[in-house]
Amino acid sequence: MRPAMWGLPYEDGIPPDLIEQLTPMARKFWLNAQRYDKHDVLRHQASNNAHALHLGEFFGKYDALLVPAFAITAPKANGPFSLANDRDFDVYINELLDAGRYVIPASDAGIPAISLPAGKDANGIPVGVQLYGKWFTEPLLLQLAAQLEASRPQWFNTVPPIHVSTLS
């Protein structure tokens, strides 16, 4: 979030009256970002680059990587990861990072990935998988996704009992 602040039209950051309009967790994200300077951001970017190089080595041997889409059961809307929460920021971030441990690496490294349905858990909650690919292999990921869809059509084109399209 810190780099997003650098282009703001406010020399001293967002005015306090605008900060107060943010949801509780969005406000905490914003305020927490104040602790970091450009050097912190550059160190983080260097770490991402090193991570991306390691993934590049992996994809020198393999065409794709299959991982869960999420490390936990799908959270409820307005549940523990809602920005409307007013929780301890560090606890929130640690739980969010843990839950997203399979999706964050692709995002941080800038590699292509696709998330796909993979059936339902014991409680009927949809679960998913994610395919990572090497850089510039989006067509391969789409082909693999099409193969999965063809082999498991029951996982695709389903609408849960409570869905925005079924509400009147």
Side-chain angles (χ1 to χ4, degrees), residues 117-131:
K120 295 181 180 177
D121 69 11
N123 296 316
I125 303 295
V127 295
V129 295
Q130 180 174 248
L131 286 168

Side-chain angles (χ1 to χ4, degrees), residues 85-96:
N85 284 325
D86 193 5
R87 302 174 53 199
D88 178 80
F89 183 76
D90 290 330
V91 171
Y92 176 90
I93 288 296
N94 286 331
E95 289 176 4
L96 185 64

